[in-house]
Amino acid sequence: MSHDVQKVRSFEHPGEGRKRAKSTPKGRQIDPQAAEEIALLLGDRPRRRDLLIEHLHLVQDKYHQISAAHLAALAEEMKLSFAEVFETATFYAHFDVVKEGEANIAPLTIRVCDSLTCAMLGAEKLLHELQNTAGPGIRVVRAPCVGLCDVAPVAEVGHHYVLHATASEVRATAARGDIEPMIPPYVDYDAYVKDGGYKLLDDLRAGRVSKEDVLTALDDSSLRGLGGAGFPTGRKWRAVLGEPGPRLMAVNGDEGEPGTFKDRFYLLRDLHRFLEGTLIGAHIVDATDVYIYIRDEYPATLKVLPLELAKLPKGGPALHIRRGAGAYICGEESSLLESIEGKRGLPRHKPPYPFQVGLFGQPTLINNIETLFWVRDIVEKGAAWWNSHGRNGRHGLRSYSVSGRVRNPGVKLAPSGLTVRELIDEYSGGMAEGHKFRAYLPGGASGGILPASMDDIPLDFGTLEKYGCFIGSAAVIILSEQDSVKDAALNLMRFFEDESCGQCTPCRVGTQKAALLMEKPVWNRELLDELSQAMRDASICGLGQAASNPLTTVIKYFPEEFIPKEAAE
C-alpha cells in the first residue's frame, strides 16, 4: 500500500490506532459555585424576565460587583441567554460588571458628583484629592447628578451621602464604615391618616366621590405633568381610561436631570400624600398593578418605601417597587417602561404611545412623583384653590429646585410664573455672599442658559420656548460672574454624552462630537449650530433633541464669551 493511500485511510478513520480526544461541551460553562451562590441569593423569588434588573441588584449588593461567572449563572437560572443578561447589566452605570480576566473591583466605592452645581462648588478638586489619597480596598469614581444639588458638593460612600463634602470628611466616613443611607424624619402612615390621609381614596372606592368628580377637578385646575413634559393630567387619565383593559400604571421617580431634586424632597417628607395620589390614579383607570420606579441614587427612599407600603390596608391594585440602576435615559417614559420590564432603557418609537401600548403591551398611565403628590389637595380643596396661586398671569404652584450661587438653595414651593429675580430675592435669600447674578438655567440641564438681563420672564410652561429654553421640571441653577457659561455648557454636554443610550446616531455621535468641539478654546459656531439642528431633527427622544439647548443659548445670549481677550482689552 502506498504512503498516500495510508494517509487517506487515516483521515477516513481517525480513531484507528490511537485514543480518541475527550470531547468538550460547547458554549459557556456554568461555574458550580457561582450557580449555587446565585440560587441561594435568589431564594424563592420568581425568575421572571422583568425581574432581571432586580436580581442584578441582589448580586451587586452582595458582592459589590458582578462577575462573569455570576452573570452566566444568573442567565442559566433565569433561562435567558448570557448575551441578554450581559447587555442589560452593562447598560446601567451602577452595575460593576467584571469581565473574564479583569481584576476584582474594590469592595468600597466612593462616588463624587461632577454635575453642574457640584462642579461649580469644587467637585473636581474633591475628586482628585480623594483619588490621590484613597486607601486599599477603596475605589473613587465620578458620578452624574445624585439629586442633592442644594447641598453641593456631594460624595457618596457606599450608600451614605456626605453633604457639603470635604475630602477629610469623606475619608473619615469611609474609615468608620458608615455606608448606609441616612433616614430623615418623615410623615409615616399613622401620622398621615391622623391628618385626614386616605379619606379621599376611601370615599372614591366607596362611591361617595365619583371618578368624574376627580377628573373634573384635575381638568379645572389645569394640573400638568410636573416631571418636565407638562401634559395635562386630567386629559392623560381620560385617555388611558378610554383604552380597553386590562390597564397598568407606572410611577416615574427617576428624576435624573442635573439640578432637579424636588421629588426626593417630597418622597422623604410626605411619602403617603404621593402614594394616595397614586392609588387614586390607579382607581380612576382601573389599573390592576402599579409599578413605582425609584432612582437608585435615592437609597433612603428605597429603604422607607417598602416599610410604608406594607402598612397600607389590603385591597386595591398590586404595588411593585422597581429600583433604577443609574441611567438618566430611564426618566423618558418609554425607556422607563423598558427598564421596568428588565431590559436596557432604550426609548421606544412612537406611535403607539404608552397610554395605548405601554408596560407589557398594556395601556399604561405614567405620572411623575410631584404630579401625583398634588392630586389629593386639588380634589379636596378644589381647583379654585390651586388656581388662586400664580403670578404674571400664570396659575398654580410649582416646586422649584434652586441651586448654585444663592444664599439659601433648596426646594421652593412658589407661585407658578414668578421670575427668576423674584425666586432669588424672595425665596432664596438673595445671591450668595460675594457673588453677582450673571446667568441662570430655568429648566435644568436641557432647559438652556439665559443671561441675568433676561430676569423678568415668568417661569412656567409655554413662557420660555420662544427664547430657546423651557421650564421642564423647574430646576433652576444660578450662575455668578465667577462662573464661565461656556464651561457650564460643556459640563452639561459631557453629561448628555455619557447618558445617551446609544440607540440613535444623531444623539450618540452628536453629543460626543459637540463635546469635542466645545473643548476647543474657540468654538466653531457654524458647525455647532448645524450639529445641534441635526440632533434636534433626527434624535429618537428628548435627550438628543434637547441636549444642544445649553450650547445654542450660550452662543446666542453670551456674545462676550466669544470675543478674544485681546480685543476686549
Side-chain angles (χ1 to χ4, degrees), residues 172-300:
T173 302
R176 291 195 304 268
D178 195 357
I179 61 173
E180 292 303 314
M182 297 180 292
I183 309 297
Y186 66 93
V187 179
D188 65 6
Y189 175 78
D190 292 334
Y192 183 71
V193 170
K194 186 177 180 180
D195 194 37
Y198 292 112
K199 183 180 183 303
L200 175 59
L201 177 64
D202 291 340
D203 288 344
L204 181 62
R205 288 175 171 174
R208 292 185 290 271
V209 173
S210 70
K211 290 184 177 183
E212 187 56 36
D213 291 336
V214 174
L215 290 169
T216 299
L218 294 179
D219 289 339
D220 291 347
S221 69
S222 299
L223 177 67
R224 300 174 67 169
L226 299 175
F231 194 84
T233 303
R235 194 192 310 173
K236 178 184 283 191
W237 289 21
R238 290 183 188 276
V240 175
L241 186 58
E243 294 294 315
R247 307 178 194 93
L248 301 173
M249 182 175 183
V251 177
N252 188 346
D254 193 60
E255 57 170 0
E257 183 91 356
T260 307
F261 47 91
K262 62 184 179 59
D263 289 352
R264 184 207 83 217
F265 177 85
Y266 289 119
L267 281 168
L268 286 177
R269 282 163 177 76
D270 202 354
L271 179 71
H272 284 278
R273 193 172 299 268
F274 134 72
L275 286 175
E276 184 169 10
T278 299
L279 292 171
I280 289 170
H283 182 87
I284 295 294
V285 302
D286 298 320
T288 59
D289 293 78
V290 177
Y291 292 80
I292 304 173
Y293 190 96
I294 303 294
R295 66 187 309 222
D296 200 33
E297 289 84 350
Y298 291 170

Side-chain angles (χ1 to χ4, degrees), residues 71-94:
L71 274 182
L74 181 61
E76 179 76 9
E77 188 75 18
M78 297 186 70
K79 302 295 185 278
L80 299 171
S81 71
F82 180 83
E84 205 172 355
V85 175
F86 179 83
E87 72 176 11
T88 301
T90 54
F91 180 86
Y92 294 93
H94 289 186

Side-chain angles (χ1 to χ4, degrees), residues 527-539 545 548 552:
L527 184 55
L528 282 169
D529 279 334
E530 184 179 348
L531 181 60
S532 299
Q533 191 63 51
M535 291 167 63
R536 282 194 293 270
D537 291 343
S539 296
Q545 294 164 11
S548 63
T552 55

Side-chain angles (χ1 to χ4, degrees), residues 88-149:
T88 301
T90 54
F91 180 86
Y92 294 93
H94 289 186
F95 295 140
D96 296 316
V97 178
V98 179
K99 301 171 186 175
E100 290 180 351
E102 291 183 345
N104 287 335
I105 290 172
L108 178 62
T109 294
I110 296 174
R111 290 184 168 87
V112 178
C113 176
D114 69 349
S115 287
L116 182 54
T117 304
C118 282
M120 290 163 55
L121 295 172
E124 197 69 24
K125 179 183 177 184
L126 174 64
L127 175 71
H128 291 309
E129 187 172 346
L130 289 172
Q131 287 176 332
N132 292 333
T133 58
I138 298 177
R139 178 181 63 147
V140 181
V141 298
R142 297 177 182 274
C145 188
V146 296
L148 288 161
C149 316

Side-chain angles (χ1 to χ4, degrees), residues 281-485:
H283 182 87
I284 295 294
V285 302
D286 298 320
T288 59
D289 293 78
V290 177
Y291 292 80
I292 304 173
Y293 190 96
I294 303 294
R295 66 187 309 222
D296 200 33
E297 289 84 350
Y298 291 170
T301 298
L302 289 164
K303 288 270 189 183
V304 169
L305 187 56
L307 302 176
E308 294 302 311
L309 287 182
K311 298 176 184 178
L312 295 177
K314 302 299 180 184
L319 299 173
H320 312 272
I321 300 172
R322 287 291 185 269
R323 178 178 168 188
Y328 165 71
I329 190 63
C330 291
E332 193 275 335
E333 61 177 7
S334 64
S335 301
L336 174 84
L337 300 181
E338 291 288 298
S339 190
I340 291 174
E341 292 179 2
K343 306 172 193 171
R344 294 176 294 166
L346 302 181
R348 298 176 181 177
H349 291 273
K350 303 170 188 177
Y353 295 94
F355 80 89
Q356 300 165 314
V357 180
L359 194 57
F360 307 117
Q362 304 299 326
T364 304
L365 174 63
I366 306 175
N367 278 129
N368 160 264
I369 297 288
E370 193 198 355
T371 307
L372 295 166
F373 181 89
W374 290 114
V375 168
R376 175 191 164 190
D377 282 340
I378 287 173
V379 177
E380 287 185 343
K381 298 178 181 179
W385 164 79
W386 179 260
N387 290 324
S388 67
H389 302 280
R391 291 189 187 177
N392 301 308
R394 317 303 294 183
H395 301 286
L397 293 166
R398 287 303 300 263
S399 301
Y400 297 91
S401 303
V402 182
S403 65
R405 307 296 190 178
V406 293
R407 193 182 300 274
N408 300 317
V411 175
K412 311 298 178 181
L413 182 60
S416 294
L418 87 172
T419 66
V420 70
R421 179 63 70 179
E422 292 168 332
L423 186 61
I424 293 171
D425 293 343
E426 297 179 32
Y427 290 87
S428 306
M431 293 294 293
E433 188 70 29
H435 289 270
K436 182 180 178 182
F437 182 32
R438 186 192 179 194
Y440 67 105
L441 283 70
S446 54
I449 305 177
L450 292 173
S453 59
M454 298 174 67
D455 63 354
D456 58 349
I457 304 170
L459 298 178
D460 198 15
F461 294 117
T463 60
L464 293 153
E465 283 75 4
K466 62 183 178 181
Y467 304 107
C469 301
F470 56 78
I471 186 69
S473 59
V476 181
I477 304 177
I478 306 298
L479 281 66
S480 77
E481 83 291 347
Q482 298 182 29
D483 302 305
S484 164
V485 292

Side-chain angles (χ1 to χ4, degrees), residues 59-61 63-67 70 96-98 103-106:
V59 182
Q60 177 73 39
D61 290 345
Y63 297 102
H64 310 292
Q65 63 179 36
I66 304 177
S67 67
H70 280 143
D96 296 316
V97 178
V98 179
N104 287 335
I105 290 172

